[in-house]
């Protein structure tokens, strides 16, 4: 706030005892608090999705993935995908990377955390502590790229 009041407090109080001039300065929040690839500004202001949830609608699709496909991330598309019956439950492979986490550590190292989740209906997922896989990854430069794949049988 600037003008007849000069503070960064929000909310703030201003006593109107005469004519006053107040200017509000808003800054675009480019952080990505939920790590889904969309900034907090894009989620809250442009798309109406929740900047604290990777999957606002709970349909199993990352908000950015839905936006990149040209759809509304606040809408749940699970019933649509299920009703189209493009895939049977036996043929679906769900390889979302939402359960993969890499933490950087000291001495040029990183640790991969991979949580295996189970479902009987592709809607309700559970995980168990014994299904957490941790792998140390040596890092040899400032920038490295990793890709995870399922090897052929």
């Amino acid at each position: 706030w600037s003008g007849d009041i000069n503070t960064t407090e929000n909310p703030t109080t201003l006593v109107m005892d005469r004519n006053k001039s107040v200017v509000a300065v808003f800054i675009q929040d480019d952080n990505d608090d939920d790590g889904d690839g969309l900034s907090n500004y894009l989620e809250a202001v442009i798309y109406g999705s929740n900047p604290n949830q990777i999957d606002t609608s709970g349909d199993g699709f990352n908000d950015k993935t839905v936006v990149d496909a040209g759809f509304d991330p606040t809408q749940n598309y699970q019933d649509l995908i299920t009703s189209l019956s493009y895939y049977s439950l036996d043929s679906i492979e769900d390889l979302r990377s939402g359960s993969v986490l890499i933490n950087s550590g000291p001495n040029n190292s990183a640790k991969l955390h991979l949580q295996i989740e189970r479902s009987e209906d592709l809607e309700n997922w559970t995980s168990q502590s014994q299904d957490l896989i941790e792998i140390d990854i040596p890092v040899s430069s400032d920038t490295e790229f990793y890709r995870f794949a399922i090897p052929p049988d």
Side-chain angles (χ1 to χ4, degrees):
W1 304 100
S2 64
D4 284 320
I5 187 170
N6 190 4
T7 183
T8 57
E9 290 181 29
N10 189 17
T12 191
T13 302
L14 175 66
V15 177
M16 295 300 294
D17 54 0
R18 60 179 172 78
N19 288 341
K20 295 188 178 189
S21 175
V22 177
V23 176
V25 179
F26 298 94
I27 299 172
Q28 183 171 310
D29 183 358
D30 289 327
N31 293 316
D32 182 11
D33 289 348
D34 59 6
D36 64 1
L38 294 174
S39 73
N40 295 342
Y41 170 80
L42 288 174
E43 290 210 64
V45 177
I46 303 299
Y47 300 113
S49 54
N50 186 333
N52 297 308
Q53 291 183 340
I54 292 173
D55 177 11
T56 297
S57 66
D59 60 6
F61 301 104
N62 172 308
D63 289 344
K64 183 172 186 330
T65 301
V66 175
V67 166
D68 288 348
F71 295 99
D72 179 353
T74 65
Q75 298 297 310
N76 186 311
Y77 295 105
Q78 187 61 49
D79 289 340
L80 174 64
I81 299 302
T82 303
S83 68
L84 293 175
S85 299
Y86 284 121
Y87 302 101
S88 70
L89 293 180
D90 294 331
S91 68
I92 287 181
E93 293 180 33
D94 186 355
L95 298 177
R96 290 176 294 163
S97 61
S99 58
V100 176
L101 177 65
I102 299 178
N103 289 332
S104 60
N107 304 322
N108 293 329
S109 68
K111 186 174 287 270
L112 168 69
H113 301 269
L114 175 64
Q115 179 68 58
I116 298 174
E117 298 176 339
R118 291 178 168 80
S119 175
E120 294 179 1
D121 58 10
L122 295 177
E123 291 182 18
N124 300 301
W125 293 88
T126 60
S127 60
Q128 299 173 355
S129 59
Q130 68 265 23
D131 291 333
L132 177 64
I133 300 167
E134 296 183 348
I135 302 168
D136 290 317
I137 301 173
V139 179
S140 59
S141 67
D142 289 339
T143 303
E144 289 199 48
F145 300 92
Y146 296 93
R147 182 166 67 181
F148 305 96
I150 296 177
D153 290 340

